[in-house]
Amino acid sequence: MKAVIYARFSSDKQNEASIEGQLRECMDYAERTGITVIGNYIDRALSARTDNRPEFRRMIKDSAKGCFDVVLVWKLDRFSRDRYDSAHYKHILKKNGVKVISAKENISEGPEGIILESMLEGMAEYYSAELAVKVKRGMMENALKGKVNGGKPPYGYYVDKERYLCVNETTAPIVKEIFRMYAEGKLVREILAYLDEHSIRTTNGKKFTFSILQKMLGSRRYIGEYKYGEVVIPNAVPAIIDETLFEKVQRRLEKNRRAAASGKAKEDYLLTTKLFCGKCGVYMVGESGVSRGKEIYRYYKCVNARKHTCDKKTVRKEWIESLAVQKAFEIVNDEKIVDYLVDKLFEMQGTANPRLPQLKAQMADVLKKIENIIQAIEQGIIFESTRDRLAELEKQKSELEISILEEQIERPLLTQEQIRFGIERFRKLNIEKEEDKKCLIDNFINAIYLYDDKITFTFNYKDGTKTVLLSECDFTSVGSDTDCFGPPQNSTSFEVLFCGM
């Protein structure tokens, strides 16, 4: 039988050594029972109370390929600590011809084995639930008493032996000065400059940053509040800042947040890094402006035009992005192009994994040699070394089978139908949504060169270049420049088509 090992450790007092121990004992079990291990799936610092484990999910998915017969675990609680999840995923594995075996728990195949396995799973779930309740209860008790539950204390405090927060007489005055300066109208950068000028550092010995100050100014811990989950305990810790000063700081923070938010663009620039100036060949970047009537205009502008070294005109964001989406959508709905992409992607899978063809070629060579020896034996041509040579070839065949299975698990091959299904899914995108527009542009458009009289689109497939005359478009504010600038040389790989599917 061929097996894969599933190993896992959670964050509670476990580390990489736990993984090594699980793998070692599973390998020992495999050697004793004659099971061949062809791969490992390992989840680190993830709880078995949930199935949201990347390697666990990948293992369940890979079981449908028929590459392995057994999932080997150290103990059943490594597989799952939730009985419903355990039963659900074991059912899927069973349908795929795969069973779960515990290396440390001797569970028979008969009815008594079913009872024992269910008891072990129930005990694992009970232990996990009980531990979670105890930990949560203990942390809540700590919070109600004003004790810290871990982590670094806020600047201006220290933790005593009883795990209470205490005011640090050295750093607390600095906290007061920061709040006072901000309340009196000082900018954050001015406060940072003041701290740096006086060589005042964080508890880690590093310079204060904008994010550190923002977090400090908004922390209610400085007025004595302690929050754990949804529970807020007032006066649980000694206060450093009085509430009047704190509220004054909060009002200014809120005012600045609103001012900053009002100036932010409401949209992404979808053609960033894909739109180029046809005159000088550099990127065109997104900008915005406000008219006298307070209307916001968004457009793309040549980087060199911003430096006044290129005279390329700007282009409206909405218009150029809509045109790009339209051209990408035309590709998805062109059956000839889809057929071409399906064939090319299917062919490229072999070249994308050079090891697999080599292994298959070696396998073909070994099979041919085995066949030749068998034919020689049938004709009565037998030497003393014949049996040894045949055994050696059979061993090579077994090793190559395992290597091929490992490669197929690591890099699964898609059928032409699966590739076509993946491409045709783009037809269902809603081009009224920004995320769907971005998906089409990112997957099918490599670059766009904007001239004064035409646009050249370079798509993500060979010879995928199309030129659109601006005179044919509903867009009149263009010049008469006709200089041609070639498409970029570094076309994106075909694999980008399947990102995020």
Side-chain angles (χ1 to χ4, degrees), residues 19-30:
I19 291 290
E20 293 172 3
Q22 291 176 49
L23 293 177
R24 182 176 61 255
E25 299 211 31
C26 286
M27 288 298 297
D28 289 344
Y29 178 88

Side-chain angles (χ1 to χ4, degrees), residues 170-317:
T170 303
T171 56
I174 298 171
V175 175
K176 293 180 181 178
E177 184 65 11
I178 290 172
F179 272 81
R180 184 193 63 78
M181 292 175 71
Y182 191 80
E184 291 178 357
K186 294 289 185 182
L187 300 175
V188 171
R189 67 170 178 269
E190 293 176 325
I191 299 174
L192 289 173
Y194 170 84
L195 296 173
D196 192 37
E197 181 183 348
H198 290 80
S199 301
I200 298 172
R201 299 291 184 262
T202 67
T203 51
N204 292 331
K206 297 180 179 179
K207 290 184 178 181
F208 280 85
T209 63
F210 183 88
S211 60
I212 291 174
L213 279 193
Q214 286 286 102
K215 187 175 180 180
M216 286 179 62
L217 292 169
S219 176
R220 300 186 66 84
R221 192 73 63 89
Y222 289 119
I223 58 173
E225 280 190 9
Y226 190 103
K227 185 177 180 181
Y228 174 70
E230 299 300 320
V231 179
V232 176
I233 304 101
N235 303 316
V237 298
I240 294 177
I241 305 298
D242 65 77
E243 293 193 20
T244 303
L245 176 60
F246 185 83
E247 291 303 324
K248 186 176 181 180
V249 166
Q250 302 316 299
R251 286 194 295 271
R252 186 167 177 230
L253 283 172
E254 181 60 25
K255 181 180 177 182
N256 289 341
R257 271 194 290 267
R258 290 178 181 174
S262 65
K264 290 183 179 178
K266 299 292 188 295
E267 301 178 50
D268 290 330
Y269 288 84
L270 305 181
L271 298 180
T272 301
T273 74
K274 290 182 179 288
L275 184 61
F276 294 82
C277 172
K279 287 192 172 184
C280 62
V282 302
Y283 284 125
M284 297 186 73
V285 295
E287 291 191 354
S288 63
V290 181
S291 67
R292 293 181 179 179
K294 302 299 181 182
E295 183 179 356
I296 298 176
Y297 291 95
R298 296 182 177 86
Y299 51 88
Y300 288 92
K301 188 172 186 177
C302 170
V303 171
N304 284 337
R306 295 169 67 183
K307 302 175 183 176
H308 306 291
T309 57
C310 178
D311 62 356
K312 183 75 190 77
K313 296 178 181 178
T314 60
V315 60
R316 290 290 293 271
K317 171 186 183 295

Side-chain angles (χ1 to χ4, degrees), residues 362-370 393 396-397 400:
Q362 292 175 31
M363 175 64 81
D365 181 57
V366 168
L367 291 175
K368 182 65 176 176
K369 290 177 180 178
I370 291 174
L393 289 171
Q396 289 181 24
K397 176 188 171 185
L400 285 169

